[in-house]
Amino acid sequence: MKNDRVDECHFRRVFLGSLPVDVRPRMPESVFAPEAAVNPNVKAFLDMIAVSELGERLLAVSDNGYNVIVGSTPSRPILFESYADHPRRAVTLRIGEKNVRSTAAGRYQLLARYFDAYKRQLGLKDFSPAAQDAIAVQQIRERGALADIEAGRF
């Protein structure tokens, strides 16, 4: 138990200590996720997430994954047409013995309910690729991992 407490303190000091006081900054309209545009390590990390969520073949047959709806395969991609809003399409998937409904969409397979929260928090106007990247970067920031990713420690 004592080691768990030491690990937690180390985590807080290393990860959370490097965060700005306000971990929910409002992104400028013109650049939603400057870390993704400027830092090659952040871009590489976001690419890694996209490959793990969708796979290289599905990324290749879509708009680099930004317009993919859950349940897609490279041979049967389910793509949405407009980035004006999250597509909010509920898809039923068979996982093991259960049917599961999901609204996951986009490059990082974000659920509609989480998009709504981040849209308000970050002042986003749409579900564009820039907005999806901004949300992914914000989620990384909230977990206290952005400084490590920017430094290439992943």
Side-chain angles (χ1 to χ4, degrees), residues 46-60:
L46 293 179
D47 289 344
M48 182 268 312
I49 293 170
V51 168
S52 70
E53 286 287 344
L54 303 174
E56 290 177 356
R57 290 181 32 213
L58 188 51
L59 290 170

Side-chain angles (χ1 to χ4, degrees), residues 9-154:
C9 290
H10 176 74
F11 172 82
R12 288 181 182 279
R13 188 174 59 256
V14 171
F15 292 102
L16 300 182
S18 64
L19 289 177
V21 174
D22 179 9
V23 296
R24 294 176 290 190
R26 194 167 181 84
M27 299 292 185
E29 284 185 36
S30 59
V31 182
F32 286 107
E35 297 90 343
V38 175
N39 189 299
N41 291 328
V42 173
K43 183 183 179 319
F45 196 83
L46 293 179
D47 289 344
M48 182 268 312
I49 293 170
V51 168
S52 70
E53 286 287 344
L54 303 174
E56 290 177 356
R57 290 181 32 213
L58 188 51
L59 290 170
V61 298
S62 64
D63 184 11
N64 202 20
Y66 290 105
N67 63 337
V68 173
I69 292 177
V70 68
S72 293
T73 64
S75 60
R76 293 189 58 219
I78 307 166
L79 308 176
F80 58 91
E81 299 292 320
S82 172
Y83 289 113
D85 191 17
H86 188 288
R88 302 179 190 285
R89 182 171 170 188
V91 175
T92 301
L93 305 168
R94 185 81 173 165
I95 299 176
E97 299 294 318
K98 292 185 173 184
N99 287 330
V100 177
R101 290 181 60 79
S102 176
T103 59
R107 192 167 202 245
Y108 312 106
Q109 293 295 283
L110 187 70
L111 299 176
R113 69 177 180 256
Y114 295 124
F115 171 69
D116 293 339
Y118 283 108
K119 181 178 180 180
R120 284 189 303 277
Q121 177 182 343
L122 300 174
L124 303 174
K125 297 189 181 288
D126 56 28
F127 194 58
S128 66
Q132 292 178 46
D133 286 350
I135 292 167
V137 169
Q138 179 63 16
Q139 290 176 322
I140 293 166
R141 181 182 289 112
E142 289 171 1
R143 300 311 309 156
L146 188 57
D148 275 337
I149 292 167
E150 289 173 329
R153 293 186 298 266
F154 60 94

